[in-house]
Amino acid sequence: MKVLVTGGAGYIGSHTVVELLNDNHEVIIVDNFSNSNPEVLNRIKEITNKEFKFYEVDLLDEEKFEKVFKENQIDATIHFAGYKAVGESVEKPISYYHNNLTSTFILCDLMKKYSVKKLVFSSSATVYGMNNSSPLLETMPLSATNPYGMTKLMIEQILGDLYKSDNSWGIALLRYFNPIGAHESGRIGENPNGIPNNLMPYITQVAVKKREKLSIFGSDYDTHDGTGVRDYIHVVDLAKGHIKALEKFENETGVEAFNLGTGDGISVLDLVNAFKGINNVDIPYELVSRRAGDVATCYADSSKALKELNWKTEKSLEDMCRDSWKWQSNNPNGY
Ligand code: UFG
């Protein structure tokens, strides 16, 4: 298939592009580098030894974006592009709603105009809100506690309405749990701007001595060791889920949500200890108070993805810790 990948230079996007190229799909990346680096494109070429097209375009620039559709016979889109920092979304809600929603409206309008009706959307486990118990199932009630999460929830609903209005669309809503790890080559990986918000990039920056110590947010949760429990998934397993979703909707229509997680609940301390043991590095940490908006426990029931996409994770926690460290230690300052 000829696949348009918005946000293809980002963390999950770049790993998905590698898997698409390895599977002999044609790839067209659109990215404005708002939270990514042009060097990632060279690294993708290096890893895959394959060519792809690239357009430096902001999705909000409809005229420029339309050229991508005019110049390529696109079959399907994987839509990663969007702002993604929870805390920043609370500070700048209008910017988050404007960017994430408007870019999706423009994308869907162009897809409709050029009769491209296969779409895989980057959603998030954040749409399960604070009121459900894990394991989380696709059928549970949805809610959001911050503007970032609300954009994911709203886009899921908008795409549901789009399908209702035109049953020729095939749309997969992929609800990611906590992606970590990196390509096994150590050439591409997560490259956050400034102080990392997420746990694994913080751990790797402490390991590489860019940061002094990790703050563990909360040690009094109702979990096996008091720290927050999440479902960490290797980014390459996650990337492969996108290909399975494309394959499902290649000859099918509908709109379906899928959890992409391992189903295993791992605490902050479990992850820190695994990382230390596997990589033989020290991670100094202190226990501090809870972070506002965090739930105690969040992990997936991914049996729907197994049944309907024939997808399951293959990588272990050891792979995740080893590959995250290989990426960070080989690229201490990112790209
Ligand atoms: N944590 C720390 N210290 C840190 C960073 C995180 O202790 O410096 C803890 C958090 O409190 C939490 C766990 O590590 O218990 C994971 O935190 P992350 O920030 O890595 O991930 P979250 O589960 O909070 O958020 C992730 C994505 C969001 C998404 C959410 C959906 O980053 O985009 O999952 O479940 F919305």
Side-chain angles (χ1 to χ4, degrees):
M1 271 193 271
K2 196 172 268 196
V3 186
L4 169 66
V5 183
T6 75
Y11 173 45
I12 307 172
S14 58
H15 287 82
T16 302
V17 169
V18 167
E19 296 308 315
L20 285 166
L21 293 171
N22 284 342
D23 268 9
N24 296 318
H25 292 288
E26 281 182 64
V27 173
I28 300 132
I29 297 178
V30 172
D31 204 297
N32 66 353
F33 299 126
S34 75
N35 191 20
S36 58
N37 189 300
E39 173 59 16
V40 76
L41 303 176
N42 300 328
R43 306 276 179 102
I44 293 172
K45 273 189 199 134
E46 179 195 306
I47 293 170
T48 60
N49 212 8
K50 296 236 170 91
E51 294 295 324
F52 54 85
K53 275 201 180 177
F54 172 72
Y55 291 84
E56 185 171 350
V57 169
D58 186 325
L59 271 54
L60 297 179
D61 186 341
E62 188 164 358
E63 241 171 73
K64 262 192 165 178
F65 193 19
E66 180 159 8
K67 274 189 67 187
V68 179
F69 282 84
K70 274 201 186 118
E71 291 175 8
N72 301 279
Q73 287 268 328
I74 295 164
D75 297 309
T77 302
I78 307 181
H79 180 35
F80 292 105
Y83 293 161
K84 62 169 190 178
V86 174
E88 187 183 57
S89 80
V90 178
E91 310 288 313
K92 301 177 185 170
I94 303 306
S95 157
Y96 267 67
Y97 286 117
H98 177 64
N99 184 65
N100 291 5
L101 296 178
T102 312
S103 58
T104 306
F105 297 148
I106 291 173
L107 171 67
C108 292
D109 273 341
L110 288 172
M111 288 179 69
K112 187 172 171 212
K113 185 166 172 186
Y114 289 85
S115 300
V116 184
K117 293 191 172 175
K118 307 292 173 192
L119 175 62
V120 177
F121 173 61
S122 273
S123 189
S124 165
T126 194
V127 299
Y128 292 111
M130 308 273 280
N131 301 321
N132 292 304
S133 319
S134 292
L136 296 162
L137 274 167
E138 287 86 351
T139 47
M140 285 177 167
L142 306 180
S143 62
T145 53
N146 57 70
Y148 157 76
M150 192 57 89
T151 67
K152 294 294 179 193
L153 184 50
M154 291 168 94
I155 293 169
E156 283 203 5
Q157 289 176 349
I158 290 161
L159 295 176
D161 289 341
L162 176 60
Y163 173 73
K164 273 188 218 151
S165 74
D166 175 356
N167 289 346
S168 64
W169 283 80
I171 303 171
L173 311 169
L174 303 185
R175 296 179 181 158
Y176 311 151
F177 283 70
N178 291 59
I180 60 171
H183 190 264
E184 62 181 8
S185 63
R187 298 294 286 159
I188 58 172
E190 189 170 11
N191 185 34
N193 278 331
I195 302 171
N197 297 307
N198 297 116
L199 180 59
M200 184 54 101
Y202 209 105
I203 291 176
T204 60
Q205 291 198 8
V206 170
V208 84
K209 298 196 162 44
K210 271 183 92 164
R211 317 232 164 245
E212 192 195 342
K213 59 173 184 271
L214 171 72
S215 297
I216 295 184
F217 301 139
S219 50
D220 57 350
Y221 284 111
D222 183 16
T223 60
H224 62 270
D225 60 18
T227 67
V229 165
R230 295 289 182 276
D231 185 336
Y232 297 95
I233 170 170
H234 196 294
V235 67
V236 172
D237 278 334
L238 187 65
K240 288 178 176 164
H242 294 73
I243 319 254
K244 294 287 194 181
L246 275 185
E247 286 169 358
K248 175 178 169 71
F249 284 105
E250 192 171 357
N251 302 306
E252 256 181 64
T253 59
V255 57
E256 289 289 338
F258 296 97
N259 288 339
L260 297 184
T262 63
D264 296 327
I266 304 290
S267 76
V268 178
L269 277 173
D270 291 336
L271 191 67
V272 168
N273 289 327
F275 189 92
K276 278 163 72 167
I278 288 155
N279 298 315
N280 202 19
V281 287
D282 193 26
I283 308 294
Y285 66 80
E286 61 178 342
L287 301 173
V288 303
S289 50
R290 294 180 181 191
R291 182 172 68 179
D294 277 355
V295 292
T297 299
C298 172
Y299 60 89
D301 179 322
S302 290
S303 49
K304 183 178 175 189
L306 175 61
K307 198 165 151 239
E308 295 186 26
L309 301 180
N310 190 26
W311 172 89
K312 64 173 176 1
T313 57
E314 288 164 358
K315 305 243 183 205
S316 63
L317 187 62
E318 183 173 344
D319 297 326
M320 300 182 215
C321 291
R322 190 198 53 235
D323 293 340
S324 288
W325 180 229
K326 185 170 182 187
W327 153 251
Q328 181 75 77
S329 53
N330 288 345
N331 305 269
N333 296 310
Y335 289 109

